Amino acid sequence: MHVQTAFMALALLAAPFQLVCAQTTGDDAGSSASMFLSNATHNAPQATDIEVPISLNWKCSVDTSGQNQQHLVASPVVDEDTVYFFVGQRMYAADRLTGTLKWPQPLELGGIVDSTPVVADGKAIFGCRDGRVYFVDVATGTKVGEFNTAAHQRGAAKPPPGASTTNSVQSSPLYHDGKIFIGADSGWVYALDFESGRRIWQFRTKGAIKATPAYWNQGVYVASTDGYVYALQADSGRLMWRTTLDNKDLFASPVVSNAKVIVAAGRYLYACDHGGTGYVRWRFEAKGSIVGSPAIASDRVFVGDTSGSFYALSSNADGNFSYRDSGYSPHLLWMVPPPSDEIRPRDKVTVDGMQKPVRSSPVVVGNAVIYRPGSRQLTAYSLDGDLLWTYSLAEAAALPMEAIDATRPAQMMEQAAATLAATPGSTVSQDAVDVAAETRPIPTTVAGVLAAAGAGAPENIDSSGMVGATDATGASAAATSRFGGRTGRTAGTSRFGGTTRGRGGQQQQGFSVYDRRQMIVPTLTFENDTASSPLTSGTDIYILGNDAALYAFSAKAADNVPPAFTEASISVPGQVGTSEQELRLTTDPSSPPDLGDSALKVPGAPPVEVKVKVLDEGSGVNAQSITIVQDQGEQAVRWEQSYDAEGGYLRAKYQPSGGVTTNIANGDYVLVFRVSDWCGNEGYAAVGFKIDNSQRAPSGYPTGRGGQGMPGGWGGQGGPGGGMPGGMPGGMPGGMPPGMPGGMPGGMPGGMPGGMPGGMPGGMPGGMPGGMPGGMPGMPGMPGMPGMPGMP
């Protein structure tokens, strides 16, 4: 695509940057800049003075009144003594030692901020959804200048079909050598002068730029949602090469390591040569979409995906490999969870809620990699794959992290229609690379346009700084790729993709079909499908929770407080559903639970579940330390033990397998729960209750007389034998139309039939209370008229 020189000249004169404070001095302003992913290449391991597990030092909560209920994307940044972070449209500054807010009032901005700022020489620079790049004095929390991207687009050529027409700036800025590099939803990449804020150069792609650019060796590397990664000259903005990838969900910032540009597109992670043509060295297929940038340590690459999986890859990989190769590929070193679940010993506690979607970037600290699964979890593994630490942040329903943008399907359809209308002969691919379908339902009207073309093929572009000249079919100068073959006018060989010709060439032996006439539509939304990443600095780790609070962990913080048990309950089946009742919780081992006349009485019919909630704000609950023991009871019960890391619940459940429905015997029961935090402080809790199988239903739970039929004439189901409410097994039939049988025979030997012949309009639901021992529920009759009450 060409932009006329006249238009560029006009844009250069438009909307000059306004700076209202004194300029910084020095030839290398911002040389100690703090920025997203630590440095310009995004590959440096962060703090090395931290050994996990680590304890919470302080927590800074802010007022969210009047804020949009939008989850948090921008990551915090630090300078010598301050942490800066965003919640919605407000910017805050907190003291690193105490968490005390420094500014009298937060800085109110013209839109929500998803951009992690660059902080250097007393200024913070970041993008905003109102289309501006702001420059802020961090000492006072006041704006000192802005760059209006919308004003700089006046007079420029119209955006290409399918490109975003919004002016949001959600990309985080990159600093290097006195320049700020930042992308916008309009497709433009800007290089701004750090001192004056004036534009040095600009370059336009065909899609929104959500990801942060990366820098290495005079090159700026940019990922665009047009499906390409671009290599630009840092001084001039001249395009050196671009490589097309499998997907347009390019939200993760490129990372440069060992002369490779590592970038994610959809569920694929690529390693391209940084120079020359962007030749693809290797490609890894993840189970879900990769929306966070990878972390690099030595010869290892760490990355997570939206399926909840986390991977350790070899940076020296070669060719094409996949998550399916775990266990025998030398390039996939380990993954969480393992591809096949190991058989769990009965005495071990099952841990749930750990494999949540990874929507942010991990960080490497010393010999550990820390990442954020879901909205509330922090998890650390050793570089060799051993679990070192987990921590649960506070829950906040007011700021849902898993929100789905309801307008997204319509936007995708409009984008698809515009692209098809503007591209004669183009088709919509039905290729099975729809990652979004694995993570959430996609409307069928949208699924037809969710597609993915084949693997990447780089292009050499001319030296004008824009996309090079193309022929009538759109083909540009040819370049070689191991995955895509040649994409220009002459055919070439690709190690993985066979031979391709021109724009519409088809690989003969490759793992995908490469046809750039096929349209690829983004399936995710940046603001909903990405989340704030953890930050490490010195001996500290910072994370912005979805409760709008900034958490600061420190290797210097002490933790001598054990986990706290806050609530307990027991659940048993009722006539219509499951009843959950509160249990008295004892946390003193010297004071056993009260099992007197006031103790809770419940029937013993399975399933019976006891759960207690445990929290630890210091170093977090160590799930590997959990024990649940039946300390007292008339019957030795096999309790299934589990821990819900997301909700913080310990569970003990009685649920016999193999169709056995034996009730727990009558008597007094005590369950004891023990758990330690990661610093070894142990917490204790015990609950007591009485099993009384003569109970019709839990106290306070509606039972009805004889068990009423469901609306529409369904028959009341009989509960298991042994005195459960609900009547004879299967109950009376639910009411078939006159003359038809009222149900299938039910019950095991020793029980009553599950249904009697029909003939009465509506049937007679319900049955005799108490049931017959040993009977199984029968199948209900077909819907009819509301039945009559059962027999008393």
Side-chain angles (χ1 to χ4, degrees):
M1 176 188 67
H2 290 291
V3 176
Q4 300 297 326
T5 304
F7 287 150
M8 296 181 66
L10 178 61
L12 284 169
L13 296 174
F17 175 88
Q18 299 173 0
L19 193 64
V20 296
C21 74
Q23 305 297 322
T24 59
T25 60
D27 296 333
D28 191 20
S31 58
S32 60
S34 298
M35 67 187 81
F36 182 58
L37 299 179
S38 183
N39 68 355
T41 62
H42 303 330
N43 71 357
Q46 297 189 24
T48 57
D49 298 331
I50 299 175
E51 289 188 8
V52 293
I54 193 171
S55 301
L56 183 68
N57 190 23
W58 51 258
K59 176 181 175 181
C60 175
S61 299
V62 300
D63 181 14
T64 59
S65 59
Q67 291 281 66
N68 292 328
Q69 299 304 301
Q70 178 68 37
H71 84 266
L72 309 173
V73 176
S75 301
V77 294
V78 299
D79 58 18
E80 288 85 358
D81 54 11
T82 308
V83 189
Y84 306 94
F85 63 102
F86 295 93
V87 176
Q89 299 181 214
R90 297 171 184 162
M91 182 179 183
Y92 299 86
D95 186 273
R96 285 190 65 170
L97 293 179
T98 64
T100 305
L101 293 175
K102 287 190 168 185
W103 299 337
Q105 297 293 333
L107 174 61
E108 196 81 28
L109 298 156
I112 292 175
V113 176
D114 304 309
S115 174
T116 301
V118 163
V119 176
D121 288 355
K123 287 189 293 190
I125 304 168
F126 53 88
C128 181
R129 290 198 203 178
D130 64 3
R132 291 170 168 80
V133 179
Y134 286 104
F135 287 59
V136 172
D137 180 357
V138 296
T140 61
T142 57
K143 291 182 285 188
V144 295
E146 65 181 43
F147 177 84
N148 189 340
T149 62
H152 282 270
Q153 296 171 28
R154 295 174 188 147
K158 292 183 178 180
S164 174
T165 57
T166 67
N167 294 318
S168 294
V169 182
Q170 296 178 284
S171 164
S172 298
L174 161 75
Y175 171 82
H176 181 75
D177 194 25
K179 300 182 185 70
I180 293 292
F181 304 94
I182 194 167
D185 276 15
S186 58
W188 290 99
V189 185
Y190 299 98
L192 308 178
D193 181 72
F194 179 88
E195 299 288 355
S196 66
R198 294 186 179 277
R199 185 186 55 191
I200 300 172
W201 54 256
Q202 64 183 22
F203 175 90
R204 193 174 203 175
T205 71
K206 295 182 180 180
I209 298 172
K210 306 287 190 178
T212 305
Y215 172 91
W216 190 76
N217 195 25
Q218 304 303 313
V220 174
Y221 302 93
V222 180
S224 172
T225 58
D226 63 5
Y228 286 86
V229 57
Y230 295 81
L232 312 176
Q233 286 188 349
D235 292 336
S236 64
R238 176 191 176 197
L239 181 58
M240 298 182 291
W241 54 259
R242 67 173 186 172
T243 297
T244 183
L245 305 177
D246 292 272
N247 194 284
K248 289 193 175 183
D249 292 323
L250 279 85
F251 296 162
S253 300
V255 174
V256 186
S257 178
N258 296 329
K260 299 182 184 72
V261 179
I262 302 175
V263 61
R267 61 182 177 188
Y268 294 101
L269 189 68
Y270 293 87
C272 309
D273 279 345
H274 80 278
T277 62
Y279 182 85
V280 177
R281 290 289 179 180
W282 54 261
R283 187 186 79 167
F284 169 71
E285 178 191 10
K287 191 174 183 180
S289 288
I290 301 172
V291 295
S293 298
I296 309 294
S298 183
D299 58 349
R300 302 189 179 193
V301 179
F302 301 95
V303 71
D305 67 22
T306 55
S307 77
S309 300
F310 191 77
Y311 311 93
L313 314 174
S314 170
S315 62
N316 299 317
D318 182 68
N320 178 42
F321 61 111
S322 166
Y323 71 94
R324 301 180 185 90
D325 299 334
S326 179
Y328 60 88
S329 171
H331 306 317
L332 178 52
L333 305 177
W334 52 266
M335 64 179 289
V336 177
S340 60
D341 294 334
E342 299 179 356
I343 298 178
R344 180 182 62 87
R346 288 184 175 270
D347 59 343
K348 295 295 184 181
V349 174
T350 300
V351 181
D352 302 316
M354 296 285 287
Q355 277 74 54
K356 296 291 183 179
V358 181
R359 305 186 186 277
S360 59
S361 303
V363 294
V364 174
V365 289
N367 192 41
V369 56
I370 301 174
Y371 69 100
R372 181 180 189 172
S375 60
R376 298 182 50 213
Q377 297 293 316
L378 275 181
T379 300
Y381 277 85
S382 73
L383 301 188
D384 295 324
D386 298 321
L387 179 63
L388 299 178
W389 181 54
T390 60
Y391 188 93
S392 295
L393 304 174
E395 185 176 8
L399 292 172
M401 294 290 287
E402 311 296 337
I404 296 177
D405 184 357
T407 66
R408 184 59 176 163
Q411 295 172 354
M412 292 164 60
M413 292 300 295
E414 292 174 2
Q415 181 179 8
T419 303
L420 287 173
T423 311
S426 63
T427 60
V428 179
S429 170
Q430 295 287 135
D431 198 9
V433 194
D434 180 11
V435 179
E438 294 185 3
T439 56
R440 66 182 185 210
I442 297 294
T444 55
T445 54
V446 178
V449 299
L450 300 181
E459 297 178 0
N460 281 331
I461 314 300
D462 66 15
S463 59
S464 64
M466 295 295 168
V467 178
T470 60
D471 59 20
T473 65
S476 66
T480 303
S481 166
R482 301 168 73 186
F483 289 89
R486 287 186 178 268
T487 63
R489 299 180 180 86
T490 59
T493 302
S494 166
R495 175 178 174 185
F496 291 88
T499 301
T500 63
R501 288 185 180 273
R503 286 292 200 187
Q506 181 167 335
Q507 295 175 353
Q508 304 299 315
Q509 301 174 1
F511 50 79
S512 62
V513 174
Y514 176 57
D515 183 351
R516 285 193 310 220
R517 292 178 301 172
Q518 293 178 339
M519 179 187 61
I520 315 172
V521 179
T523 61
L524 305 176
T525 51
F526 180 81
E527 58 270 22
N528 290 329
D529 292 296
T530 57
S532 178
S533 300
L535 165 74
T536 63
S537 177
T539 60
D540 304 325
I541 301 174
Y542 303 95
I543 185 71
L544 191 57
N546 69 327
D547 58 344
L550 179 67
Y551 293 76
F553 300 86
S554 177
K556 299 178 180 179
D559 178 14
N560 55 10
V561 179
F565 292 89
T566 60
E567 59 186 61
S569 65
I570 186 170
S571 300
V572 296
Q575 289 176 289
V576 182
T578 299
S579 172
E580 182 174 341
Q581 295 196 100
E582 183 178 354
L583 285 173
R584 295 177 182 175
L585 190 67
T586 300
T587 57
D588 183 358
S590 63
S591 300
D594 180 14
L595 292 173
D597 293 339
S598 61
L600 182 67
K601 297 179 181 180
V602 296
V608 177
E609 182 180 82
V610 178
K611 68 176 184 180
V612 298
K613 188 164 188 175
V614 59
L615 300 173
D616 189 87
E617 291 190 349
S619 56
V621 172
N622 181 359
Q624 298 172 338
S625 70
I626 295 171
T627 60
I628 305 174
V629 177
Q630 180 181 313
D631 189 57
Q632 180 178 337
E634 302 299 323
Q635 171 187 342
V637 178
R638 184 179 294 279
W639 298 94
E640 297 178 8
Q641 305 177 10
S642 64
Y643 171 60
D644 174 15
E646 186 76 5
Y649 287 101
L650 301 179
R651 288 187 169 93
K653 185 175 183 179
Y654 170 63
Q655 178 66 76
S657 59
V660 179
T661 58
T662 305
N663 290 11
I664 301 176
N666 291 344
D668 298 340
Y669 289 82
V670 173
L671 291 183
V672 174
F673 300 80
R674 283 188 170 89
V675 62
S676 299
D677 61 21
W678 288 93
C679 288
N681 304 301
E682 185 181 74
Y684 165 94
V687 295
F689 51 91
K690 290 179 176 290
I691 294 294
D692 182 357
N693 286 296
S694 68
Q695 295 287 305
R696 292 167 58 97
S699 175
Y701 198 75
T703 62
R705 179 176 171 80
Q708 296 292 321
M710 296 292 287
W714 288 89
Q717 276 195 339
M724 284 296 291
M728 296 164 61
M732 297 291 285
M736 294 289 292
M740 296 184 66
M744 298 294 292
M748 299 292 290
M752 295 294 291
M756 296 181 65
M760 298 182 62
M764 296 179 63
M768 298 178 61
M772 297 291 291
M776 294 291 291
M779 296 180 63
M782 295 293 291
M785 298 294 291
M788 298 175 61
M791 299 171 60

